Amino acid sequence: MPEQKQYKRIVPSYIKDFKCIGGKCEDTCCAGWSIEVDAGTYDKYKKVEHAELKNRFSQDIVDCKQKATKACAAQIKLKDNRCAFLSQDGWCDIYSGLGESYLSHTCGLYPRTLNRIHNTMEYSMTFSCPEAARQILLQEKPITFSLSEKLFNESTISADVDLNIENPKEWQDYFFIIRDKAIGLLQNRNFYLEERLTHVEGLMLGITELALKGKTKQIPGFVQKYTGENFKGEREVDAGILIERMYFLQQDMELPSERYAECLDQVLEGLGLTKETATLQQAYKTYLKGERSCYKDFLEQKGHILENYLVNYIYERCIPLDGATPIESYEWMLLYYTLIKVHLIGMGLATPAGRKVIKEEQAIKLIQSFTKTYDHNDGYLSYFTD
C-alpha cells in the first residue's frame, strides 16, 4: 500500500466503545482457528529476551518454512483447542508480558476488520466476538457512520477493492450509492423489518436488470428515485429445508463451537425434533406457529437487533460486491437472515414453561456463535447450499 496515498476513514458508531473483556468473555477468539503470525512480528519474537516467553516462542510457534508469506510466516500452536499463549484467566500472555506492540497483525486487529474500497478505509467489527456482538446489536438507535482519524494498524485488510468512481462503466463502480441506499432502506423503521428486506431485494433486482441490459448509466437515477414501497418481494428461503439440514448437520458433523452446539440443541428441542416420534413436517408446523407468535413479538420489541445485524452485514461484507450480481449478493444475505430466524424461533420455543419468548441474550449468543461457526469455515455453510 503506497504510503503517500491519502485515505478517508469511515467508522461505525459502535466501534470506539469496544474493549476486550478478557477473562470475563464467554468465548475465546483463540479457539478452533489457525493463529497466523506475520513476518515482522515473527522476527520480533526471535529477538525477545524475556526468558519464559523466549522459551515458549521456540516451543509453541511453528515456522511455515517454504509456505511462508509476509502475512503468515508462522503459526501458533493450539493446546486443548486454545491458543498456547492464552492464560487460564482468559488473557493473552504475550500482551501481558511484552505489550500490545508484540501482538501479531491478526491478534492486534481482531475482532475489528478493515476494508479498503477505492480511496476509503472502512473500519468495522465481526459478530464472532461476544463483546463485539453486544456493542453492535444492542444499539437501539440506528447505526451511523462518520469520518475518523486512523484508529489502529492497517496492515491487515480483508477486502481490497479498486473502483472506477470517476468514470463508472460497471455496476460495481456505483457501489457507494447502492450500499448507502440499501442501508437506508433497512433503517427505515416505518416498515416491518421483513418488508424492508423486500425493499432491498427490489433495489438489487432493479440494478441487476439494468446491468444485464447494458444500461449501467441509468443506475444512479434508479437508485435515487427507488423507495421499494411497491415491490412485494419474489425471493424466499425454504425454512422447511433449512430445518431438515440443521437436523442432519447435528447428526453428521462435529461442531467447532460449544456455544453454537448448545444453540442448535435448543433449536431442535424447541421445534420438537428431540422426540423419537417427531417428524420434520411437524417441526415445520411448529416453526410456523413460532413465527406468528414469539418471532413477531421479538421483532416488535427488539427489532433493532436484527436491523443492526443486517446493516453491519452489508457494511462489513461490502454488499453487493460479494456477488456476481447485486441480486445474487442479496440472496446470500437472505439465506443468512433466514438461518438466524429459524434458529431464534426454535430457541424461543424451547423456553421453559410459560410464555414462549426470544430473549435478548439468546439472540446475542446465537448470532455470535453462528458467525464464528459459519463465517470461518465454508464447509458448514455449504451444508445448506449444496
Side-chain angles (χ1 to χ4, degrees), residues 268-287:
L268 299 182
E269 177 189 344
L271 296 176
L273 285 172
T274 55
K275 301 175 182 177
E276 292 184 6
T277 57
T279 67
L280 290 166
Q281 185 177 18
Q282 289 173 331
Y284 182 60
K285 290 180 179 178
T286 301
Y287 162 81

Side-chain angles (χ1 to χ4, degrees), residues 18-45:
F18 173 79
K19 290 182 180 179
C20 175
I21 59 174
K24 296 180 181 179
C25 188
E26 309 93 310
D27 203 348
T28 168
C29 46
C30 312
W33 298 343
S34 60
I35 305 172
E36 299 176 349
V37 180
D38 58 278
T41 304
Y42 190 35
D43 287 340
K44 290 171 71 173
Y45 290 168

Side-chain angles (χ1 to χ4, degrees), residues 4-64:
Q4 68 273 19
K5 189 161 184 177
Q6 297 297 312
Y7 292 97
K8 291 193 300 182
R9 290 173 174 83
I10 303 295
V11 299
S13 48
Y14 59 72
I15 201 165
K16 292 182 180 179
D17 294 328
F18 173 79
K19 290 182 180 179
C20 175
I21 59 174
K24 296 180 181 179
C25 188
E26 309 93 310
D27 203 348
T28 168
C29 46
C30 312
W33 298 343
S34 60
I35 305 172
E36 299 176 349
V37 180
D38 58 278
T41 304
Y42 190 35
D43 287 340
K44 290 171 71 173
Y45 290 168
K46 292 175 182 178
K47 300 172 184 177
V48 163
E49 297 298 329
H50 188 291
E52 180 189 350
L53 285 174
K54 183 176 183 178
N55 182 53
R56 291 174 65 183
F57 285 150
S58 65
Q59 292 182 356
D60 294 327
I61 296 183
V62 181
D63 195 309
C64 291

Side-chain angles (χ1 to χ4, degrees), residues 217-271:
K217 296 293 184 184
Q218 296 181 23
I219 289 175
F222 169 76
V223 171
Q224 183 178 12
K225 295 178 182 178
Y226 180 80
T227 64
E229 294 182 33
N230 297 319
F231 186 80
K232 301 302 180 183
E234 301 174 359
R235 286 159 177 77
E236 61 181 26
V237 178
D238 190 328
I241 292 177
L242 296 187
I243 292 168
E244 179 182 10
R245 298 287 178 90
M246 288 162 65
Y247 175 76
F248 288 110
L249 172 68
Q250 188 205 43
Q251 306 298 314
D252 298 344
M253 300 186 75
E254 183 178 349
L255 296 168
S257 167
E258 290 184 12
R259 281 167 62 80
Y260 177 66
E262 292 168 358
C263 290
L264 186 55
D265 287 346
Q266 200 172 12
V267 171
L268 299 182
E269 177 189 344
L271 296 176

Side-chain angles (χ1 to χ4, degrees), residues 93-110:
D93 287 336
I94 297 174
Y95 182 94
S96 300
L98 300 171
E100 185 176 4
S101 64
Y102 277 81
L103 294 179
S104 68
H105 291 166
T106 298
C107 296
L109 184 65
Y110 184 83

